[in-house]
Amino acid sequence: MYKYHCLNPISQVGLDQLDENYMVTDQADDADVILVRSAKMHDMEFGSNLKAIARAGAGVNNIPLDRCAEEGIVVFNTPGANANGVKELAIAGMLLAARDIIGGINWVQEYEEDGDIAKITEKKKKAFAGTELQGKKLGVIGLGAIGVLVANAATHLGMDVYGYDPYVSVDSAWRLSRSIHHAKTVDELYKECDYITIHVPALDDTKGMIDKNAISLMKDGVVILNLARDVLVNQEDIVDALVSGKVHCYVTDFPTKEIVGVKGAIVIPHLGASTEESEDNCAKMAAAEMRDFLENGNITHSVNYPDCDMGPKGENPRITILHKNIPNMLGQFTTLLADSGINISLMTNKSRKEYAYTIMDVDAEVPAELEEKLNAVNGVLRVRIL
């Protein structure tokens, strides 16, 4: 029986995939796996029984990845599960920036003067006139699951789309419309585009990437959209650019004390993935990843360990080992099994930077003393016998 704990409300559609071998627990310290959305976990102490954390969403900046890796806790996310919801919000953000829809609606709602509102509207509506998206140039930074959907959708709106991603995957490249221009440098995209939207993770080399230097390369009156992470845009620099008029509009899904209330900023209360469909998709993917890891030892969409899949577990035992990526680890494992008279019928090993994962199917029961010896190998972080 596996125990799971939810730090945030998780869609029941996902939880319904867990069968009678799973039970919910109110105690995080007692759980085999934790499901989480946005709850902050950096200050949490993890129980010795915790094997995995499944993030129902893409971003994992709320989870201490390095500490989890050192404690032999695999962290999963659900890339692409909420991509369509974010794509639709990006399109909505561009429309809101192109035409002062919010300003017009607010004027109508706040109108209190006596008179014929319909007649006065015809005189006042010029103040809220805008432009169309068709024919404008859109730059998409990051062509992952979300970026590809935004880029393709924008082409159907008649926009001239430029994409930039030096690490675009083969899968994303296949899904990208042939009409999208490949920007060889991000500076090219900055200089060419009327709209710029960011869809990259928050990494050391992407944090603050939209700063005064980047903005100085952009067109006057550019529109910038950030539905990825607040730290990708330097808050002081974007405020200065809005005040000066260099940036016409900044659409962000992340309210910060610096940007709220600034003229030209459209600040959305983190609604990118807040759709019923996105929450269902994320929960279903997280539950599937969790089950495959706990029951078969397979890792899919981990952010701190390598992905590794050896298919469904058969009738014989399966040994899984999370360990450091250092020389002679496999040699030590196979020697210990040979000394115990146990044959390995199938084995795979994958590494990711300083961490690695080994799966071995064996043809005999694994004695407790062998498990102890495997755990005692220098560099081993966690052994599981399935």
Side-chain angles (χ1 to χ4, degrees), residues 110-162:
E110 295 169 3
Y111 184 79
E112 296 180 354
E113 298 180 22
D114 294 334
D116 187 345
I117 181 65
K119 182 177 180 179
I120 295 173
T121 294
E122 292 306 310
K123 295 180 180 180
K124 295 290 187 180
K125 68 180 184 180
K126 292 181 180 180
F128 311 109
T131 59
E132 298 179 8
L133 296 181
Q134 182 172 326
K136 302 302 187 297
K137 293 181 178 180
L138 169 66
V140 181
I141 303 174
L143 295 170
I146 297 171
V148 167
L149 291 181
V150 173
N152 289 346
T155 64
H156 296 299
L157 295 174
M159 302 187 81
D160 195 13
V161 181
Y162 290 69

Side-chain angles (χ1 to χ4, degrees), residues 14-48:
L15 298 181
D16 286 344
Q17 296 189 40
L18 305 178
D19 58 22
E20 65 277 3
N21 293 314
Y22 294 82
M23 64 175 293
V24 66
T25 175
D26 293 333
Q27 303 298 320
D29 293 344
D30 191 38
D32 293 284
V33 63
I34 290 176
L35 292 114
V36 62
R37 291 174 61 196
S38 58
K40 304 298 183 185
M41 302 184 70
H42 288 276
D43 295 331
M44 286 185 62
E45 294 293 331
F46 301 126
S48 60

Side-chain angles (χ1 to χ4, degrees), residues 45-338:
E45 294 293 331
F46 301 126
S48 60
N49 202 40
L50 185 65
K51 302 170 182 63
I53 295 171
R55 161 75 165 97
V60 290
N61 58 326
N62 57 321
I63 303 170
L65 301 182
D66 292 341
R67 179 159 64 91
C68 287
E70 284 295 320
E71 295 183 24
I73 300 169
V74 179
V75 180
F76 300 93
N77 70 345
T78 57
N82 59 9
N84 190 70
V86 179
K87 175 208 75 177
E88 292 186 1
L89 190 64
I91 299 301
M94 286 193 286
L95 292 167
L96 293 175
R99 307 179 69 172
D100 190 9
I101 299 169
I102 296 175
I105 292 173
N106 289 340
W107 177 79
V108 172
Q109 290 182 333
E110 295 169 3
Y111 184 79
E112 296 180 354
E113 298 180 22
D114 294 334
D116 187 345
I117 181 65
K119 182 177 180 179
I120 295 173
T121 294
E122 292 306 310
K123 295 180 180 180
K124 295 290 187 180
K125 68 180 184 180
K126 292 181 180 180
F128 311 109
T131 59
E132 298 179 8
L133 296 181
Q134 182 172 326
K136 302 302 187 297
K137 293 181 178 180
L138 169 66
V140 181
I141 303 174
L143 295 170
I146 297 171
V148 167
L149 291 181
V150 173
N152 289 346
T155 64
H156 296 299
L157 295 174
M159 302 187 81
D160 195 13
V161 181
Y162 290 69
Y164 175 75
D165 190 335
Y167 309 109
V168 63
S169 69
V170 173
D171 182 60
S172 292
W174 273 107
R175 292 185 287 113
L176 201 60
S177 169
R178 291 191 302 173
S179 64
I180 293 167
H181 305 284
H182 173 218
K184 295 181 179 178
T185 67
V186 72
D187 288 355
E188 175 189 348
L189 185 147
Y190 290 152
K191 294 174 183 177
E192 291 289 334
C193 296
D194 306 294
Y195 292 77
I196 294 172
T197 182
I198 318 163
H199 300 285
V200 299
L203 305 173
D204 289 341
D205 58 348
T206 60
K207 292 178 181 178
M209 63 180 294
I210 303 297
D211 58 10
K212 60 183 178 182
N213 294 324
I215 294 170
S216 70
L217 300 174
M218 300 178 189
K219 293 181 177 181
D220 291 343
V222 67
V223 172
I224 299 173
L225 298 97
N226 177 17
L227 308 181
R229 285 290 175 265
D230 57 342
V231 294
L232 302 176
V233 176
N234 183 290
Q235 298 296 292
E236 294 181 359
D237 292 351
I238 193 66
V239 170
D240 290 344
L242 287 168
V243 172
S244 70
K246 174 70 177 180
V247 173
H248 169 67
C249 185
Y250 175 54
V251 182
T252 178
D253 204 21
F254 307 99
T256 65
K257 62 181 180 181
E258 295 89 352
I259 201 66
V260 170
V262 176
K263 185 178 180 181
I266 297 177
V267 185
I268 304 167
H270 204 185
L271 299 181
S274 294
T275 67
E276 181 178 335
E277 294 86 350
S278 287
E279 292 179 5
D280 287 351
N281 290 338
C282 288
K284 287 189 288 187
M285 185 181 288
E289 293 166 352
M290 179 181 77
R291 285 196 63 172
D292 197 22
F293 176 65
L294 292 177
E295 297 172 20
N296 299 308
N298 298 320
I299 296 179
T300 305
H301 297 144
S302 173
V303 292
N304 63 345
Y305 276 98
D307 283 3
C308 187
D309 190 336
M310 211 161 76
K313 175 188 171 298
E315 294 182 359
N316 290 333
R318 174 171 288 183
I319 303 172
T320 70
I321 309 174
L322 296 164
H323 57 92
K324 293 292 186 68
N325 184 24
I326 54 181
N328 198 36
M329 295 299 287
L330 292 182
Q332 294 182 77
F333 300 157
T334 56
T335 297
L336 286 173
L337 266 69

